[in-house]
Amino acid sequence: MNALEQFLTLAKSTRGAAAASLVMQVIEWPTIYVFGELLEKPTIRELATGDYAAHFRLLELFAYGTYKQWKANPSLFPPLSDAALRKMKHLSLVSLAGASKSIEYNFLLEELDLANVRELEDLVIEGVYAGLLRGQLDQRRQRLEIEFASARDVRSEQIPFLIETLEKWCSGCQSLLSRLEGELRESEARRQNQLENSRRLNEEMNAIRRSLRSKGSDPDLTCAENGEYMGEKRKTARGKSLRGSKIGK
C-alpha cells in the first residue's frame, strides 16, 4: 500500500481537527502530488463548511491551484511550512509545463517567486527526480524546454471540456489516418502499375525473340553477327584501297 492509499484509509474514520491534521500531513508528504481522491472523501468534504474550512481550501489549492494564487491571499489558508511551499512550487511548475513546451526563465522566476536562475534550476531538477516533468535547461537561450509533464487533478466542471478536447484530438487522428491510408493505396496502385508495365515489356521482348527464332536466326547473336559482318566489309574495302595505291616512291 502506497502513502496515498494509507491516507485515504485514515480519512474514512477521521473528522474535525484530526482530518485537518491529516490534510497538512498529505500536502507535506514528499511523494504525493495528487489530491482529488482525498477531496472526494466525505469526512474531508465536511471540512469545507466547518471551523477548518481553510484546510479544505488549502487542499483544493494543492489539487488545482498555483503558488501565485496562494501568494495573492495567504491569509485564506493555514500557515505553510517550507516543505509545503516548495511542493506548491513544484506543482505550479507542472501546470506551467503542461501549458507550454518552451518557457522563458524570466517568466518562471516571476511565477514561482525565485531569486535567481540557480534556484530555478534546482527546482526543475527536483521536479525531474520526482517524476513530475522531463525536459532540458537551455542556459544559452535562458529557456526550459519541456518534453513531458505529469497530469494534475481536474475539477469536475473541467471534465466536459477535456472530453471535447479529446474528441477533437481523436477526430484529427482519424482524419490523419484516413489520409495516410489513401496515400498508401495510391502508392500501392503505382507499384502495381509499374509491375504490370514491366510484365508487358518482358512479354513483348519474349515475343520478338520467338519471332526471330521462327525465322531461323538467333536473336541473341543477331546484333553480334551484324557487327562482325560490317567489320569484314570495312576490311575488304580498306584492302582494295591499298592495292590500288602506290607504296613508296
Short mmCIF file of all heavy atoms in Angstrom, two decimals, residues 76-137:
data_model
loop_
_atom_site.label_atom_id
_atom_site.label_comp_id
_atom_site.label_asym_id
_atom_site.label_seq_id
_atom_site.Cartn_x
_atom_site.Cartn_y
_atom_site.Cartn_z
N LEU A 76 -5.95 33.32 3.54
CA LEU A 76 -7.09 32.43 3.36
C LEU A 76 -6.76 30.99 3.75
O LEU A 76 -7.67 30.15 3.83
CB LEU A 76 -7.56 32.45 1.90
CG LEU A 76 -8.15 33.77 1.38
CD1 LEU A 76 -8.48 33.65 -0.10
CD2 LEU A 76 -9.38 34.16 2.19
N PHE A 77 -5.48 30.72 3.99
CA PHE A 77 -5.04 29.34 4.22
C PHE A 77 -4.26 29.24 5.53
O PHE A 77 -3.76 30.24 6.05
CB PHE A 77 -4.15 28.89 3.06
CG PHE A 77 -4.73 29.16 1.70
CD1 PHE A 77 -4.35 30.29 0.97
CD2 PHE A 77 -5.67 28.30 1.15
CE1 PHE A 77 -4.88 30.54 -0.28
CE2 PHE A 77 -6.21 28.55 -0.10
CZ PHE A 77 -5.82 29.67 -0.82
N PRO A 78 -4.14 28.04 6.05
CA PRO A 78 -3.31 27.84 7.24
C PRO A 78 -1.85 28.13 6.90
O PRO A 78 -1.45 28.07 5.73
CB PRO A 78 -3.51 26.35 7.57
CG PRO A 78 -4.73 25.94 6.83
CD PRO A 78 -4.80 26.79 5.62
N PRO A 79 -1.04 28.46 7.90
CA PRO A 79 0.39 28.70 7.65
C PRO A 79 1.04 27.46 7.03
O PRO A 79 0.71 26.32 7.39
CB PRO A 79 0.95 28.97 9.05
CG PRO A 79 -0.23 29.42 9.85
CD PRO A 79 -1.40 28.66 9.31
N LEU A 80 1.94 27.69 6.09
CA LEU A 80 2.60 26.60 5.39
C LEU A 80 4.07 26.49 5.78
O LEU A 80 4.75 27.50 5.95
CB LEU A 80 2.50 26.79 3.87
CG LEU A 80 1.11 26.71 3.25
CD1 LEU A 80 1.19 26.95 1.75
CD2 LEU A 80 0.49 25.36 3.53
N SER A 81 4.53 25.28 5.89
CA SER A 81 5.95 25.02 6.15
C SER A 81 6.75 25.25 4.88
O SER A 81 6.19 25.35 3.78
CB SER A 81 6.14 23.59 6.63
OG SER A 81 5.80 22.68 5.59
N ASP A 82 8.08 25.32 5.01
CA ASP A 82 8.93 25.48 3.84
C ASP A 82 8.76 24.31 2.87
O ASP A 82 8.78 24.49 1.66
CB ASP A 82 10.40 25.59 4.27
CG ASP A 82 10.69 26.89 5.00
OD1 ASP A 82 9.88 27.84 4.86
OD2 ASP A 82 11.71 26.95 5.71
N ALA A 83 8.59 23.10 3.42
CA ALA A 83 8.42 21.92 2.58
C ALA A 83 7.13 22.02 1.77
O ALA A 83 7.10 21.66 0.58
CB ALA A 83 8.40 20.66 3.44
N ALA A 84 6.05 22.51 2.39
CA ALA A 84 4.77 22.63 1.69
C ALA A 84 4.85 23.70 0.59
O ALA A 84 4.33 23.52 -0.51
CB ALA A 84 3.66 22.97 2.67
N LEU A 85 5.52 24.82 0.90
CA LEU A 85 5.68 25.87 -0.10
C LEU A 85 6.52 25.37 -1.29
O LEU A 85 6.22 25.68 -2.44
CB LEU A 85 6.34 27.10 0.52
CG LEU A 85 5.44 27.95 1.43
CD1 LEU A 85 6.25 29.03 2.11
CD2 LEU A 85 4.30 28.58 0.63
N ARG A 86 7.54 24.61 -0.96
CA ARG A 86 8.39 24.06 -2.04
C ARG A 86 7.56 23.12 -2.93
O ARG A 86 7.68 23.14 -4.15
CB ARG A 86 9.56 23.29 -1.41
CG ARG A 86 10.65 22.89 -2.39
CD ARG A 86 11.44 24.08 -2.82
NE ARG A 86 12.59 23.73 -3.62
CZ ARG A 86 13.41 24.64 -4.16
NH1 ARG A 86 13.20 25.93 -3.98
NH2 ARG A 86 14.45 24.26 -4.87
N LYS A 87 6.73 22.34 -2.30
CA LYS A 87 5.89 21.41 -3.06
C LYS A 87 4.89 22.17 -3.92
O LYS A 87 4.62 21.78 -5.07
CB LYS A 87 5.15 20.49 -2.09
CG LYS A 87 4.43 19.33 -2.75
CD LYS A 87 3.90 18.40 -1.67
CE LYS A 87 3.28 17.17 -2.25
NZ LYS A 87 2.80 16.25 -1.20
N MET A 88 4.36 23.26 -3.39
CA MET A 88 3.44 24.08 -4.17
C MET A 88 4.13 24.64 -5.41
O MET A 88 3.54 24.71 -6.50
CB MET A 88 2.89 25.21 -3.31
CG MET A 88 2.05 26.24 -4.07
SD MET A 88 0.64 25.53 -4.94
CE MET A 88 -0.37 24.98 -3.58
N LYS A 89 5.38 24.99 -5.29
CA LYS A 89 6.13 25.49 -6.44
C LYS A 89 6.36 24.37 -7.46
O LYS A 89 6.31 24.61 -8.67
CB LYS A 89 7.46 26.10 -5.99
CG LYS A 89 7.30 27.40 -5.21
CD LYS A 89 8.64 28.01 -4.84
CE LYS A 89 8.43 29.32 -4.08
NZ LYS A 89 9.72 30.00 -3.74
N HIS A 90 6.61 23.16 -6.98
CA HIS A 90 6.72 22.02 -7.90
C HIS A 90 5.44 21.84 -8.70
O HIS A 90 5.47 21.65 -9.92
CB HIS A 90 7.01 20.73 -7.11
CG HIS A 90 8.39 20.67 -6.54
ND1 HIS A 90 8.69 19.93 -5.41
CD2 HIS A 90 9.55 21.24 -6.92
CE1 HIS A 90 9.96 20.05 -5.13
NE2 HIS A 90 10.51 20.85 -6.03
N LEU A 91 4.31 21.89 -8.00
CA LEU A 91 3.02 21.71 -8.67
C LEU A 91 2.74 22.85 -9.65
O LEU A 91 2.19 22.62 -10.74
CB LEU A 91 1.90 21.63 -7.63
CG LEU A 91 1.91 20.36 -6.76
CD1 LEU A 91 1.00 20.53 -5.55
CD2 LEU A 91 1.48 19.15 -7.59
N SER A 92 3.12 24.04 -9.29
CA SER A 92 2.94 25.19 -10.18
C SER A 92 3.80 25.03 -11.43
O SER A 92 3.37 25.36 -12.54
CB SER A 92 3.30 26.49 -9.46
OG SER A 92 2.49 26.68 -8.32
N LEU A 93 5.02 24.53 -11.26
CA LEU A 93 5.89 24.28 -12.39
C LEU A 93 5.27 23.25 -13.34
O LEU A 93 5.35 23.40 -14.56
CB LEU A 93 7.26 23.79 -11.89
CG LEU A 93 8.29 23.43 -12.96
CD1 LEU A 93 8.62 24.64 -13.82
CD2 LEU A 93 9.56 22.89 -12.30
N VAL A 94 4.64 22.23 -12.78
CA VAL A 94 3.97 21.22 -13.60
C VAL A 94 2.85 21.87 -14.42
O VAL A 94 2.69 21.57 -15.61
CB VAL A 94 3.40 20.09 -12.71
CG1 VAL A 94 2.48 19.19 -13.52
CG2 VAL A 94 4.53 19.28 -12.11
N SER A 95 2.06 22.73 -13.80
CA SER A 95 0.98 23.41 -14.52
C SER A 95 1.53 24.25 -15.67
O SER A 95 0.99 24.25 -16.78
CB SER A 95 0.18 24.30 -13.56
OG SER A 95 -0.52 23.52 -12.61
N LEU A 96 2.61 24.98 -15.41
CA LEU A 96 3.22 25.81 -16.46
C LEU A 96 3.79 24.94 -17.57
O LEU A 96 3.67 25.28 -18.75
CB LEU A 96 4.31 26.69 -15.84
CG LEU A 96 3.83 27.74 -14.84
CD1 LEU A 96 5.02 28.38 -14.13
CD2 LEU A 96 2.98 28.80 -15.53
N ALA A 97 4.40 23.83 -17.19
CA ALA A 97 4.99 22.92 -18.19
C ALA A 97 3.91 22.27 -19.04
O ALA A 97 4.13 21.96 -20.21
CB ALA A 97 5.82 21.86 -17.49
N GLY A 98 2.74 22.05 -18.46
CA GLY A 98 1.64 21.47 -19.22
C GLY A 98 1.01 22.44 -20.20
O GLY A 98 0.36 22.03 -21.16
N ALA A 99 1.23 23.74 -19.97
CA ALA A 99 0.61 24.76 -20.82
C ALA A 99 1.52 25.21 -21.96
O ALA A 99 1.04 25.78 -22.94
CB ALA A 99 0.22 25.98 -19.98
N SER A 100 2.83 24.95 -21.84
CA SER A 100 3.76 25.41 -22.87
C SER A 100 4.95 24.48 -22.94
O SER A 100 5.42 23.98 -21.92
CB SER A 100 4.23 26.84 -22.57
OG SER A 100 5.20 27.27 -23.51
N LYS A 101 5.45 24.26 -24.16
CA LYS A 101 6.60 23.39 -24.36
C LYS A 101 7.93 24.12 -24.23
O LYS A 101 8.99 23.50 -24.16
CB LYS A 101 6.52 22.72 -25.74
CG LYS A 101 5.37 21.74 -25.89
CD LYS A 101 5.49 20.59 -24.90
CE LYS A 101 4.39 19.58 -25.06
NZ LYS A 101 4.48 18.49 -24.06
N SER A 102 7.89 25.43 -24.19
CA SER A 102 9.11 26.22 -24.05
C SER A 102 8.79 27.43 -23.19
O SER A 102 7.93 28.24 -23.54
CB SER A 102 9.62 26.65 -25.43
OG SER A 102 10.82 27.38 -25.31
N ILE A 103 9.48 27.54 -22.05
CA ILE A 103 9.16 28.59 -21.08
C ILE A 103 10.42 29.39 -20.76
O ILE A 103 11.46 28.82 -20.42
CB ILE A 103 8.59 28.01 -19.77
CG1 ILE A 103 7.55 26.91 -20.08
CG2 ILE A 103 7.95 29.11 -18.94
CD1 ILE A 103 7.08 26.18 -18.84
N GLU A 104 10.32 30.69 -20.84
CA GLU A 104 11.48 31.54 -20.55
C GLU A 104 11.79 31.55 -19.07
O GLU A 104 10.88 31.53 -18.23
CB GLU A 104 11.21 32.96 -21.05
CG GLU A 104 11.12 33.07 -22.57
CD GLU A 104 10.97 34.51 -23.02
OE1 GLU A 104 10.93 35.41 -22.14
OE2 GLU A 104 10.92 34.74 -24.23
N TYR A 105 13.06 31.62 -18.75
CA TYR A 105 13.50 31.66 -17.35
C TYR A 105 12.87 32.83 -16.60
O TYR A 105 12.43 32.68 -15.45
CB TYR A 105 15.02 31.79 -17.29
CG TYR A 105 15.78 30.49 -17.45
CD1 TYR A 105 15.14 29.31 -17.83
CD2 TYR A 105 17.15 30.44 -17.23
CE1 TYR A 105 15.83 28.13 -17.99
CE2 TYR A 105 17.87 29.25 -17.38
CZ TYR A 105 17.20 28.11 -17.76
OH TYR A 105 17.90 26.94 -17.90
N ASN A 106 12.86 34.00 -17.23
CA ASN A 106 12.34 35.20 -16.53
C ASN A 106 10.89 35.01 -16.11
O ASN A 106 10.48 35.43 -15.02
CB ASN A 106 12.47 36.43 -17.43
CG ASN A 106 13.91 36.88 -17.58
OD1 ASN A 106 14.75 36.58 -16.73
ND2 ASN A 106 14.20 37.61 -18.65
N PHE A 107 10.10 34.38 -16.98
CA PHE A 107 8.69 34.12 -16.66
C PHE A 107 8.59 33.17 -15.48
O PHE A 107 7.78 33.38 -14.55
CB PHE A 107 7.98 33.55 -17.88
CG PHE A 107 6.54 33.23 -17.64
CD1 PHE A 107 5.59 34.23 -17.53
CD2 PHE A 107 6.12 31.90 -17.51
CE1 PHE A 107 4.25 33.93 -17.31
CE2 PHE A 107 4.80 31.59 -17.29
CZ PHE A 107 3.86 32.60 -17.18
N LEU A 108 9.39 32.12 -15.48
CA LEU A 108 9.36 31.15 -14.38
C LEU A 108 9.82 31.78 -13.07
O LEU A 108 9.24 31.50 -12.01
CB LEU A 108 10.26 29.95 -14.73
CG LEU A 108 9.75 29.04 -15.85
CD1 LEU A 108 10.82 28.04 -16.24
CD2 LEU A 108 8.47 28.32 -15.41
N LEU A 109 10.83 32.60 -13.14
CA LEU A 109 11.33 33.27 -11.93
C LEU A 109 10.24 34.12 -11.29
O LEU A 109 10.09 34.15 -10.06
CB LEU A 109 12.54 34.14 -12.27
CG LEU A 109 13.83 33.39 -12.64
CD1 LEU A 109 14.88 34.37 -13.15
CD2 LEU A 109 14.37 32.62 -11.43
N GLU A 110 9.45 34.78 -12.13
CA GLU A 110 8.38 35.64 -11.61
C GLU A 110 7.23 34.80 -11.08
O GLU A 110 6.71 35.06 -9.98
CB GLU A 110 7.89 36.57 -12.72
CG GLU A 110 6.76 37.48 -12.27
CD GLU A 110 6.26 38.39 -13.38
OE1 GLU A 110 6.89 38.39 -14.46
OE2 GLU A 110 5.24 39.06 -13.18
N GLU A 111 6.81 33.80 -11.84
CA GLU A 111 5.67 32.99 -11.44
C GLU A 111 5.93 32.20 -10.16
O GLU A 111 5.02 31.99 -9.34
CB GLU A 111 5.30 32.02 -12.56
CG GLU A 111 4.68 32.66 -13.78
CD GLU A 111 3.29 33.20 -13.51
OE1 GLU A 111 2.48 32.45 -12.92
OE2 GLU A 111 3.01 34.35 -13.88
N LEU A 112 7.15 31.76 -9.99
CA LEU A 112 7.49 30.89 -8.85
C LEU A 112 8.19 31.64 -7.73
O LEU A 112 8.59 31.03 -6.73
CB LEU A 112 8.37 29.74 -9.35
CG LEU A 112 7.74 28.88 -10.46
CD1 LEU A 112 8.75 27.86 -10.97
CD2 LEU A 112 6.48 28.19 -9.94
N ASP A 113 8.35 32.96 -7.90
CA ASP A 113 8.93 33.80 -6.84
C ASP A 113 10.32 33.29 -6.43
O ASP A 113 10.61 33.07 -5.25
CB ASP A 113 8.01 33.84 -5.62
CG ASP A 113 8.39 34.95 -4.64
OD1 ASP A 113 9.04 35.92 -5.06
OD2 ASP A 113 8.04 34.82 -3.45
N LEU A 114 11.17 33.12 -7.43
CA LEU A 114 12.53 32.65 -7.20
C LEU A 114 13.52 33.80 -7.40
O LEU A 114 13.31 34.67 -8.25
CB LEU A 114 12.86 31.50 -8.13
CG LEU A 114 11.97 30.25 -7.96
CD1 LEU A 114 12.24 29.26 -9.08
CD2 LEU A 114 12.19 29.61 -6.60
N ALA A 115 14.61 33.77 -6.64
CA ALA A 115 15.55 34.89 -6.64
C ALA A 115 16.49 34.89 -7.83
O ALA A 115 16.89 35.95 -8.32
CB ALA A 115 16.35 34.89 -5.34
N ASN A 116 16.87 33.70 -8.31
CA ASN A 116 17.86 33.64 -9.38
C ASN A 116 17.72 32.33 -10.16
O ASN A 116 16.95 31.44 -9.80
CB ASN A 116 19.28 33.79 -8.83
CG ASN A 116 19.54 32.82 -7.68
OD1 ASN A 116 19.42 31.61 -7.84
ND2 ASN A 116 19.90 33.37 -6.51
N VAL A 117 18.52 32.24 -11.23
CA VAL A 117 18.46 31.08 -12.11
C VAL A 117 18.90 29.81 -11.39
O VAL A 117 18.37 28.73 -11.65
CB VAL A 117 19.33 31.32 -13.37
CG1 VAL A 117 19.46 30.05 -14.20
CG2 VAL A 117 18.73 32.45 -14.21
N ARG A 118 19.86 29.92 -10.48
CA ARG A 118 20.32 28.73 -9.75
C ARG A 118 19.18 28.11 -8.95
O ARG A 118 19.01 26.87 -8.95
CB ARG A 118 21.47 29.12 -8.82
CG ARG A 118 21.99 27.97 -7.96
CD ARG A 118 22.50 26.81 -8.81
NE ARG A 118 22.91 25.69 -8.00
CZ ARG A 118 24.12 25.54 -7.48
NH1 ARG A 118 25.06 26.47 -7.70
NH2 ARG A 118 24.42 24.47 -6.78
N GLU A 119 18.37 28.93 -8.31
CA GLU A 119 17.21 28.41 -7.56
C GLU A 119 16.21 27.75 -8.52
O GLU A 119 15.62 26.70 -8.20
CB GLU A 119 16.53 29.54 -6.79
CG GLU A 119 17.31 30.03 -5.59
CD GLU A 119 16.51 31.01 -4.75
OE1 GLU A 119 15.29 31.16 -5.02
OE2 GLU A 119 17.09 31.63 -3.85
N LEU A 120 16.03 28.37 -9.68
CA LEU A 120 15.10 27.81 -10.67
C LEU A 120 15.59 26.44 -11.15
O LEU A 120 14.82 25.48 -11.23
CB LEU A 120 14.96 28.77 -11.85
CG LEU A 120 14.17 28.24 -13.06
CD1 LEU A 120 12.74 27.89 -12.67
CD2 LEU A 120 14.19 29.26 -14.19
N GLU A 121 16.86 26.35 -11.48
CA GLU A 121 17.41 25.09 -11.97
C GLU A 121 17.32 24.00 -10.91
O GLU A 121 17.03 22.84 -11.21
CB GLU A 121 18.85 25.29 -12.42
CG GLU A 121 18.95 26.15 -13.69
CD GLU A 121 20.38 26.40 -14.11
OE1 GLU A 121 21.29 26.19 -13.28
OE2 GLU A 121 20.60 26.81 -15.28
N ASP A 122 17.56 24.36 -9.64
CA ASP A 122 17.43 23.39 -8.56
C ASP A 122 15.99 22.89 -8.44
O ASP A 122 15.75 21.68 -8.25
CB ASP A 122 17.85 24.02 -7.22
CG ASP A 122 19.36 24.24 -7.13
OD1 ASP A 122 20.09 23.64 -7.95
OD2 ASP A 122 19.80 25.00 -6.25
N LEU A 123 15.03 23.79 -8.59
CA LEU A 123 13.62 23.41 -8.51
C LEU A 123 13.24 22.47 -9.66
O LEU A 123 12.54 21.48 -9.46
CB LEU A 123 12.73 24.66 -8.55
CG LEU A 123 11.23 24.41 -8.32
CD1 LEU A 123 10.97 24.12 -6.84
CD2 LEU A 123 10.41 25.62 -8.76
N VAL A 124 13.72 22.79 -10.86
CA VAL A 124 13.43 21.95 -12.02
C VAL A 124 14.03 20.57 -11.85
O VAL A 124 13.38 19.54 -12.11
CB VAL A 124 13.96 22.61 -13.31
CG1 VAL A 124 13.85 21.64 -14.49
CG2 VAL A 124 13.20 23.90 -13.61
N ILE A 125 15.27 20.51 -11.37
CA ILE A 125 15.94 19.22 -11.17
C ILE A 125 15.19 18.38 -10.13
O ILE A 125 15.02 17.17 -10.30
CB ILE A 125 17.40 19.44 -10.75
CG1 ILE A 125 18.19 20.04 -11.93
CG2 ILE A 125 18.05 18.14 -10.29
CD1 ILE A 125 19.58 20.51 -11.56
N GLU A 126 14.71 19.03 -9.08
CA GLU A 126 13.91 18.31 -8.08
C GLU A 126 12.64 17.74 -8.71
O GLU A 126 12.25 16.61 -8.42
CB GLU A 126 13.54 19.26 -6.93
CG GLU A 126 14.72 19.66 -6.07
CD GLU A 126 14.37 20.81 -5.12
OE1 GLU A 126 13.19 21.21 -5.09
OE2 GLU A 126 15.27 21.31 -4.44
N GLY A 127 12.00 18.54 -9.58
CA GLY A 127 10.79 18.08 -10.25
C GLY A 127 11.06 16.90 -11.17
O GLY A 127 10.25 15.97 -11.26
N VAL A 128 12.21 16.91 -11.83
CA VAL A 128 12.58 15.81 -12.72
C VAL A 128 12.79 14.53 -11.90
O VAL A 128 12.30 13.46 -12.26
CB VAL A 128 13.85 16.16 -13.52
CG1 VAL A 128 14.38 14.93 -14.26
CG2 VAL A 128 13.55 17.29 -14.51
N TYR A 129 13.52 14.64 -10.80
CA TYR A 129 13.77 13.46 -9.96
C TYR A 129 12.48 12.92 -9.33
O TYR A 129 12.37 11.72 -9.05
CB TYR A 129 14.80 13.79 -8.88
CG TYR A 129 16.23 13.71 -9.36
CD1 TYR A 129 17.00 14.86 -9.48
CD2 TYR A 129 16.80 12.48 -9.70
CE1 TYR A 129 18.31 14.79 -9.94
CE2 TYR A 129 18.11 12.40 -10.14
CZ TYR A 129 18.86 13.55 -10.26
OH TYR A 129 20.15 13.47 -10.72
N ALA A 130 11.52 13.81 -9.11
CA ALA A 130 10.23 13.38 -8.56
C ALA A 130 9.31 12.77 -9.62
O ALA A 130 8.23 12.29 -9.30
CB ALA A 130 9.53 14.56 -7.88
N GLY A 131 9.73 12.82 -10.89
CA GLY A 131 8.93 12.27 -11.97
C GLY A 131 7.81 13.19 -12.43
O GLY A 131 6.89 12.75 -13.11
N LEU A 132 7.89 14.47 -12.06
CA LEU A 132 6.82 15.40 -12.39
C LEU A 132 6.95 15.95 -13.81
O LEU A 132 5.94 16.31 -14.43
CB LEU A 132 6.81 16.57 -11.40
CG LEU A 132 6.57 16.20 -9.94
CD1 LEU A 132 6.71 17.44 -9.07
CD2 LEU A 132 5.18 15.59 -9.79
N LEU A 133 8.15 16.04 -14.31
CA LEU A 133 8.36 16.56 -15.66
C LEU A 133 9.69 16.06 -16.20
O LEU A 133 10.51 15.51 -15.45
CB LEU A 133 8.34 18.09 -15.68
CG LEU A 133 9.52 18.85 -15.06
CD1 LEU A 133 9.61 20.25 -15.64
CD2 LEU A 133 9.39 18.94 -13.56
N ARG A 134 9.87 16.26 -17.48
CA ARG A 134 11.12 15.90 -18.14
C ARG A 134 11.39 16.96 -19.19
O ARG A 134 10.49 17.36 -19.92
CB ARG A 134 11.01 14.52 -18.77
CG ARG A 134 12.32 13.98 -19.34
CD ARG A 134 12.19 12.52 -19.72
NE ARG A 134 11.18 12.28 -20.75
CZ ARG A 134 10.05 11.64 -20.54
NH1 ARG A 134 9.75 11.17 -19.34
NH2 ARG A 134 9.18 11.46 -21.53
N GLY A 135 12.63 17.43 -19.25
CA GLY A 135 12.95 18.49 -20.21
C GLY A 135 14.41 18.83 -20.20
O GLY A 135 15.24 18.08 -19.67
N GLN A 136 14.73 19.99 -20.76
CA GLN A 136 16.11 20.42 -20.89
C GLN A 136 16.23 21.87 -20.48
O GLN A 136 15.45 22.73 -20.91
CB GLN A 136 16.59 20.23 -22.33
CG GLN A 136 18.03 20.64 -22.55
CD GLN A 136 18.47 20.43 -23.98
OE1 GLN A 136 17.68 19.99 -24.82
NE2 GLN A 136 19.71 20.74 -24.30
N LEU A 137 17.23 22.15 -19.66
CA LEU A 137 17.53 23.52 -19.26
C LEU A 137 18.46 24.13 -20.29
O LEU A 137 19.63 23.74 -20.40
CB LEU A 137 18.17 23.55 -17.87
CG LEU A 137 17.26 23.17 -16.70
CD1 LEU A 137 18.08 22.81 -15.47
CD2 LEU A 137 16.30 24.32 -16.38
#
